[in-house]
């Protein structure tokens, strides 16, 4: 399979060109592209308006990288669905489907694991296994849509992995997923979350994308942020925020700052004041997330009272902030934990 082309990662023009090499007319590429991208086909056999002979030619030349459902958990509280997906090489990734009043949002993974090593994150603890192909990112969406017979309207790249550490594949995925002949979710319905890979944010600025950029900030100064997030040793808070200002100016899009509140660490009044001062004048919004406790560190959630106090300090200084609603609390909906458990079980490390 490794020597066959990854057909679900091809754009329409690329598929037309590749089919031309096999002597196939353009309308065949239109058909196959529709099956793969719009209908989410996972095998050539599903393509019922294509002859058996042609399907076997496709099978000889191409491979459909996808995901298969290993586990599915549904929250009894709010219907949030969490998937553990298996990839063709035995790696595992996670996705979460959430229902909001305006429709369904899916949180997808961009890598199996992550090499950024943030201290509070279950994904970061296991390191990086590999980058995902665009096809494997698309397949998380098409598989979830088919499995639940729903249309997903919004995407957040906030599952496992650092999207900007898999830059080219993620950009190709965004192009494919927003194509009207495919899944057809527009850029304005997509958010990309990053821990702050500044050189890649600079590349984004040149591209002037229309998706929402979320920055996992989590601390207002280098001392605290450096302790929690190794990426801060490469790019300091001020360098990151300077890139964010340029991004907001170039795209006229509001930046969303993610801030996980950890008791006694980054949730103090002084941190809130420092954060407000650093973000002053920027087109932005702060998303506060009570930290999810993860096996392997001692971080605890802030008290509801301190969370309200934190918001009050930000808002008094003109920075809008909201607390992210906790969805799927009973199924451990934040990413990284299911894969870790699965890995432990298959490695035989379970006691
Ligand atoms: N790598 C990207 C996107 C995936 S992580 C990034 O870091 O932005 C998605 C979000 O979940 C990030 O904001 C991350 O900081 C946050 N996160 C990770 N572990 C968490 C935890 N234990 N509790 C709360 N938020 C967490
Ligand atoms: Fe990677 Fe994001 Fe987790 Fe940090 S928070 S380790 S960047 S997935």
């Amino acid at each position: 399979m490794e020597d066959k082309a990854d057909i679900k990662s091809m754009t329409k023009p690329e598929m037309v060109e590749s089919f031309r090499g096999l002597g196939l007319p353009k309308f065949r590429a239109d058909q196959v592209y529709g099956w793969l991208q719009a209908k989410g086909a996972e095998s050539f056999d599903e393509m019922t308006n294509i002859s058996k002979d042609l399907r076997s030619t496709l099978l000889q030349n191409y491979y459909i990288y996808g995901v298969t459902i290993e586990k599915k958990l549904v929250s009894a509280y709010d219907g949030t669905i969490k998937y553990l997906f298996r990839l063709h090489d035995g790696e595992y990734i996670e996705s979460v489907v959430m229902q909001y009043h305006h429709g369904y949002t899916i949180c997808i993974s961009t890598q199996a694991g992550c090499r950024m090593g943030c201290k509070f994150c279950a994904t970061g603890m296991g390191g990086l296994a590999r980058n995902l192909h665009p096809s494997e990112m698309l397949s998380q969406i098409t598989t979830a849509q088919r499995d639940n017979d729903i249309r997903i309207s919004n995407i957040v790249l906030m599952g496992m992995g650092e999207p900007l550490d898999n830059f080219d594949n993620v950009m190709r995925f965004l192009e494919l997923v927003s194509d009207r002949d495919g899944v057809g979710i527009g850029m304005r319905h997509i958010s990309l979350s990053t821990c702050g890979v500044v050189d890649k944010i600079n590349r984004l600025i040149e591209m002037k994308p229309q998706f929402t950029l979320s920055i996992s900030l989590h601390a207002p100064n280098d001392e605290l942020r450096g302790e929690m997030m190794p990426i801060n040793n490469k790019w300091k808070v001020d360098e990151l925020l300077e890139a964010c200002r340029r991004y907001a100016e170039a795209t006229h899009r509001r930046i969303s700052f993610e801030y996980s509140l950890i008791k006694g660490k980054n949730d103090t009044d002084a941190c809130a004041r420092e954060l407000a001062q650093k973000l002053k004048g920027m087109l932005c919004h702060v998303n506060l997330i009570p930290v999810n406790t993860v096996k392997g560190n001692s971080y605890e959630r802030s008290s509801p009272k301190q969370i309200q106090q934190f918001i009050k300090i930000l808002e008094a200084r003109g920075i809008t902030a909201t607390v992210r609603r906790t969805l799927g609390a009973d199924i451990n909906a934040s990413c990284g934990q299911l894969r870790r458990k699965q890995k432990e079980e298959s490695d035989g490390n379970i006691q």
Side-chain angles (χ1 to χ4, degrees), residues 68-349:
T68 50
I69 302 171
E70 179 79 19
K71 268 194 192 132
K72 178 184 183 182
L73 303 175
V74 182
S75 166
Y77 297 161
D78 52 41
T80 297
I81 303 164
K82 178 157 185 169
Y83 288 104
L84 179 70
F85 287 128
R86 190 177 196 275
L87 308 179
H88 73 94
D89 58 354
E91 286 296 336
Y92 294 98
I93 54 163
E94 297 173 23
S95 313
V96 181
V97 179
M98 296 154 285
Q99 192 174 7
Y100 293 99
H101 54 88
H102 56 265
Y104 290 97
T105 295
I106 190 166
C107 174
I108 65 159
S109 296
T110 54
Q111 296 180 311
C114 181
R115 64 188 179 113
M116 297 297 157
C118 304
K119 293 285 192 303
F120 46 81
C121 175
T123 303
M125 288 175 187
L128 175 70
R130 70 168 171 87
N131 283 330
L132 298 193
H133 301 285
S135 46
E136 291 168 324
M137 297 179 224
L138 286 161
S139 187
Q140 295 170 59
I141 302 164
T142 49
T143 303
Q145 290 196 145
R146 288 178 137 205
D147 184 45
N148 301 289
D149 200 17
I150 54 170
R151 300 269 333 148
I152 288 168
S153 53
N154 291 271
I155 306 169
V156 294
L157 277 63
M158 270 194 195
M160 300 172 50
E162 168 48 53
L164 298 186
D165 192 37
N166 185 13
F167 194 87
D168 293 342
N169 285 345
V170 166
M171 292 306 129
R172 177 177 279 265
F173 158 76
L174 291 172
E175 183 185 342
L176 287 167
V177 81
S178 56
D179 183 356
R180 283 168 191 275
D181 291 340
V183 176
I185 299 178
M187 291 289 184
R188 286 176 177 268
H189 298 270
I190 301 175
S191 295
L192 181 152
S193 176
T194 175
C195 65
V197 185
V198 172
D199 59 345
K200 298 296 176 359
I201 296 174
N202 287 336
R203 269 179 76 185
L204 285 181
I205 292 172
E206 287 165 26
M207 296 160 71
K208 294 200 182 9
Q210 288 304 303
F211 55 73
T212 300
L213 184 65
S214 290
I215 303 285
S216 297
L217 190 61
H218 304 312
N221 58 56
D222 291 327
E223 197 189 339
L224 257 181
R225 196 168 190 266
E227 203 184 293
M228 295 157 63
M229 303 176 72
I231 188 83
N232 204 76
N233 299 324
K234 191 151 182 190
W235 290 288
K236 302 291 173 206
V237 171
D238 288 348
E239 277 175 284
L240 172 59
L241 293 179
E242 207 267 315
C244 290
R245 275 180 204 279
R246 278 188 285 108
Y247 184 94
E249 277 159 25
T251 62
H252 306 291
R253 305 275 297 156
R254 185 178 299 272
I255 291 192
S256 169
F257 287 101
E258 311 291 307
Y259 197 104
S260 295
L261 288 162
I262 306 170
K263 192 179 202 159
K265 195 156 190 79
N266 64 357
D267 69 345
T268 60
D269 294 2
C271 278
R273 283 194 293 268
E274 194 176 0
L275 180 64
Q277 190 244 321
K278 291 270 167 92
L279 300 184
K280 207 167 143 189
M282 203 189 308
L283 185 60
C284 70
H285 179 86
V286 175
N287 242 317
L288 297 168
I289 316 155
V291 77
N292 282 301
T293 44
V294 167
K295 218 170 79 182
N297 69 45
S298 56
Y299 294 154
E300 275 177 55
R301 283 185 171 203
S302 309
S303 68
K305 192 165 158 255
Q306 188 54 30
I307 295 176
Q308 288 314 315
Q309 168 76 356
F310 204 92
I311 294 179
K312 233 171 89 187
I313 295 172
L314 291 180
E315 292 198 328
R317 287 158 178 77
I319 310 284
T320 61
T322 41
V323 183
R324 183 175 298 159
R325 193 153 65 100
T326 312
L327 288 173
D330 54 334
I331 56 166
N332 232 333
S334 67
C335 271
Q337 316 223 32
L338 264 190
R339 171 178 183 264
R340 217 166 132 210
K341 192 157 162 264
Q342 182 75 27
K343 263 188 98 146
E344 281 173 3
E345 281 170 18
S346 45
D347 293 350
N349 291 339

